[in-house]
Amino acid sequence: MADAAAPAPTRVLVLSASLRADSLNTRLASLVARLVRDTGAAVELARMGEFPMPLYDADAEVAEGLPEGTRALRDRLAACDAFVIASPEYNASLPGGLKNAIDWVSRAGPQPFKDKHALLVSASPSLVGGNRGLWALRIPLEHLGTRVYPDMFSLARAHEGFSDDGDLADTGLQVRLTEAVTSFLRLVEADTRYVCLQRRWYEFLGDCTDAPVTQRAQD
């Protein structure tokens, strides 16, 4: 009997949320994309500047529909099994351009964040590595139904953090990032290929196991 066809590789979108040409987060995104590729997954690397869109305006949406950049990002997200965002930290929060893109894309029906897995990483010259911005980024993504991986990675003093070959200068951090990417992709593969749990939202700890599926913004 012929062997069963090999499953398709896991599809991952890695997005740098920075608009700056010489961005530390774009360098981190490139490294993550390489680590994803090393696992055998199919990876697509993108930058926020590829998806121009104006500030969200409900009147403009009604009159003109979704901007071209919004539709392009929506399509890229819909085509992947999981995504990674490398995001700068602006004033202890996420960049306005990234939040605006999330707001626009969430208007596409069906919105593509629901049930997608996401890994969040950041790079910053600061001593906290942009970690506060990642906590803020979790909020809209989880509200929209994204399964954000618990372990986030933040590279502090990132202006000194990369070696000439694009790896992290600190070998311990390189190992940690590699392990985080590998473990994240194992979870994605388990969820996309071996679905065995009914997906539910619970509003509070007292909900019973037979509670109806909650209708939220993710729908």
Side-chain angles (χ1 to χ4, degrees):
M1 183 171 63
D3 293 335
T10 301
R11 300 161 299 173
V12 182
L13 173 66
V14 180
L15 174 67
S16 169
S18 177
L19 296 173
R20 193 165 65 91
D22 188 23
S23 166
L24 294 168
N25 281 279
T26 297
R27 295 180 69 180
L28 183 59
S30 297
L31 172 55
V32 170
R34 175 155 53 87
L35 295 176
V36 170
R37 190 177 296 110
D38 288 345
T39 70
V43 64
E44 186 174 5
L45 181 61
R47 298 180 60 178
M48 186 60 69
E50 298 174 36
F51 310 103
M53 57 191 85
L55 292 176
Y56 177 73
D57 181 342
D59 289 339
E61 180 189 4
V62 171
E64 304 170 16
L66 299 178
E68 182 179 350
T70 300
R71 289 184 276 110
L73 182 55
R74 184 268 319 272
D75 291 345
R76 301 275 276 276
L77 286 166
C80 71
D81 298 306
F83 61 91
V84 181
I85 297 179
S87 175
E89 177 183 291
Y90 290 176
N91 296 317
S93 189
L94 69 156
L98 175 57
K99 179 58 166 61
N100 184 59
I102 293 172
D103 292 341
W104 265 116
V105 172
S106 72
R107 300 297 298 170
Q111 61 90 355
F113 295 106
K114 181 180 178 181
D115 293 333
K116 286 287 193 300
H117 288 269
L119 174 65
L120 305 183
V121 300
S122 62
S124 172
S126 76
L127 294 179
V128 295
N131 187 257
R132 295 167 299 185
L134 297 187
W135 282 107
L137 177 55
R138 296 184 72 99
I139 295 172
L141 292 178
E142 290 181 334
H143 173 73
L144 291 167
T146 303
R147 299 179 174 191
V148 182
Y149 193 63
D151 188 14
M152 303 182 294
F153 180 86
S154 296
L155 179 63
R157 300 185 62 84
H159 58 297
E160 303 171 347
F162 293 93
S163 62
D164 292 339
D165 61 2
D167 285 341
L168 300 183
D170 185 317
T171 56
L173 289 178
Q174 178 75 19
V175 170
R176 184 190 158 199
L177 178 60
T178 302
E179 290 177 344
V181 169
T182 302
S183 297
F184 169 68
L185 292 176
R186 286 173 179 165
L187 177 63
V188 174
E189 180 179 3
D191 184 61
T192 55
R193 297 185 184 175
Y194 312 109
V195 180
C196 60
L197 297 176
Q198 183 175 6
R199 297 168 176 172
R200 292 181 180 274
W201 278 97
Y202 294 99
E203 294 288 348
F204 51 89
L205 293 178
D207 272 356
C208 300
T209 55
D210 59 352
V213 177
T214 305
Q215 299 299 313
R216 302 183 65 168
Q218 61 165 306
D219 295 316

